[in-house]
C-alpha cells in the first residue's frame, strides 16, 4: 500500500537563495520532534491522479473529491497516514462540516448496526460541525496497513476527537471505514484521555 510522504512544515515552497531552510531550523530547535506537518494540499493532486488510488476514485468520484477540497478548509496532517486513511479522514471532516449525517453514516464499519451508525453520525455532527468548518489538524497514529487511529484537533472550537479507522469486509474488500458505535452523546463528544493537548506533542508511553 502506498504511503504518502509528508513534506516539511512549509509545504512545497522553496526558500530563497542563501536563505535558511525553515525545516532545517526547526530540526535544530526541536531535534527530538517526532512528526512533520503538511497540509493535505501537498498530496491532494497525487491522491486524485495516482494509479494506486484509482480503486476508490472513478472519474465522477475524482471530480467530487476536487470540488470537496476546493470548498473546505485545507486539512493539516501530522504523522504518516496511508492513502486510504487520509482519504477517509478528509471525508469525515468534510461531511461533519456539511452536516451530512447520512453520508457520514455510510462510512461505518460493518460490526455495528445501521441504527448505531446513524445515531453516532448525528452525535458527531451536532458536536463537531462548527469545528470542522474551521481549520482542522489530523494526527495519525499506528501503522496504517489494516487499522489506524486518527486524532482530529478542531482549531476553531478547541475540541479534540479520536476516530478509529480500519479496513472492512472480507480481506479488506470494502475499503477503509470508521468505527461508529457512540450512541451516547457524552461518549461521542469526549476527547481521548491519552492524546497530547496539541498535535505533534510528545506522546504517552502507550498509544491505543
Amino acid at each position: 500500500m502506498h504511503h504518502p510522504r509528508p513534506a516539511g512544515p512549509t509545504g512545497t515552497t522553496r526558500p530563497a537563495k542563501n536563505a535558511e531552510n525553515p525545516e532545517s531550523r526547526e530540526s535544530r530547535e526541536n531535534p527530538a520532534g517526532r512528526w512533520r506537518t503538511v497540509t493535505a494540499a501537498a498530496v491532494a493532486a497525487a491522491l486524485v491522479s495516482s494509479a494506486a488510488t484509482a480503486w476508490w476514485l472513478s472519474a465522477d468520484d475524482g471530480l467530487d473529491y476536487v470540488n470537496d477540497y476546493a470548498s473546505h478548509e485545507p486539512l493539516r496532517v501530522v504523522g504518516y497516514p496511508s492513502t486510504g486513511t487520509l482519504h477517509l479522514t478528509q471525508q469525515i471532516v468534510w461531511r461533519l462540516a456539511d452536516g451530512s449525517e447520512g453520508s457520514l453514516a455510510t462510512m461505518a464499519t460493518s460490526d455495528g448496526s445501521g441504527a448505531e451508525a446513524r445515531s453516532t453520525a448525528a452525535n458527531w455532527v451536532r458536536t463537531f460541525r462548527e469545528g470542522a468548518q474551521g481549520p482542522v489538524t489530523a494526527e495519525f497514529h499506528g501503522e496504517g496497513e489494516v487499522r489506524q487511529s486518527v486524532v482530529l484537533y478542531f482549531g476553531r472550537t478547541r475540541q479534540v476527537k479520536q476516530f478509529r479507522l480500519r479496513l472492512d469486509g472480507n480481506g479488506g474488500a470494502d475499503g477503509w471505514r470508521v468505527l461508529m458505535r457512540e450512541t451516547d452523546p457524552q461518549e461521542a463528544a469526549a476527547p481521548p484521555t491519552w492524546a497530547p493537548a496539541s498535535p505533534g506533542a510528545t506522546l504517552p508511553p502507550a498509544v491505543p
Side-chain angles (χ1 to χ4, degrees):
M1 183 176 295
H2 171 68
H3 294 260
R5 185 176 181 179
T10 54
T12 58
T13 303
R14 290 191 178 187
K17 188 176 181 180
N18 298 327
E20 182 180 14
N21 188 319
E23 186 174 344
S24 298
R25 183 171 63 251
E26 180 189 48
S27 297
R28 290 200 307 273
E29 294 173 352
N30 184 22
R34 295 188 52 193
W35 305 105
R36 292 181 177 181
T37 306
V38 61
T39 63
V43 294
L47 289 176
V48 173
S49 61
S50 172
T53 58
W55 62 274
W56 54 258
L57 285 180
S58 66
D60 289 341
D61 288 338
L63 181 60
D64 288 343
Y65 184 88
V66 171
N67 289 337
D68 263 334
Y69 182 83
S71 60
H72 295 87
E73 285 269 357
L75 179 70
R76 292 190 65 82
V77 176
V78 178
Y80 299 94
S82 68
T83 52
T85 58
L86 177 58
H87 176 71
L88 177 59
T89 300
Q90 287 186 310
Q91 292 294 328
I92 291 170
V93 174
W94 292 340
R95 300 294 76 82
L96 287 173
D98 296 342
S100 302
E101 297 177 12
S103 296
L104 188 58
T106 65
M107 303 177 195
T109 55
S110 59
D111 53 353
S113 68
E116 286 177 315
R118 290 187 295 271
S119 177
T120 301
N123 286 336
W124 287 353
V125 166
R126 182 167 52 251
T127 305
F128 300 109
R129 183 175 186 179
E130 180 183 355
Q133 292 172 346
V136 180
T137 299
E139 180 168 290
F140 292 83
H141 301 277
E143 39 75 29
E145 293 293 335
V146 295
R147 65 183 68 247
Q148 194 162 38
S149 179
V150 59
V151 178
L152 296 185
Y153 293 83
F154 299 96
R156 176 181 293 179
T157 57
R158 305 297 183 186
Q159 294 167 295
V160 181
K161 177 63 181 176
Q162 178 187 11
F163 296 88
R164 294 178 174 87
L165 317 178
R166 67 171 173 81
L167 286 173
D168 205 45
N170 186 13
D174 293 337
W176 285 94
R177 297 289 186 267
V178 57
L179 184 65
M180 299 184 69
R181 304 185 70 177
E182 298 181 351
T183 57
D184 178 3
Q186 288 188 332
E187 179 187 6
T193 59
W194 58 267
S198 58
T202 302
L203 293 171
V207 175

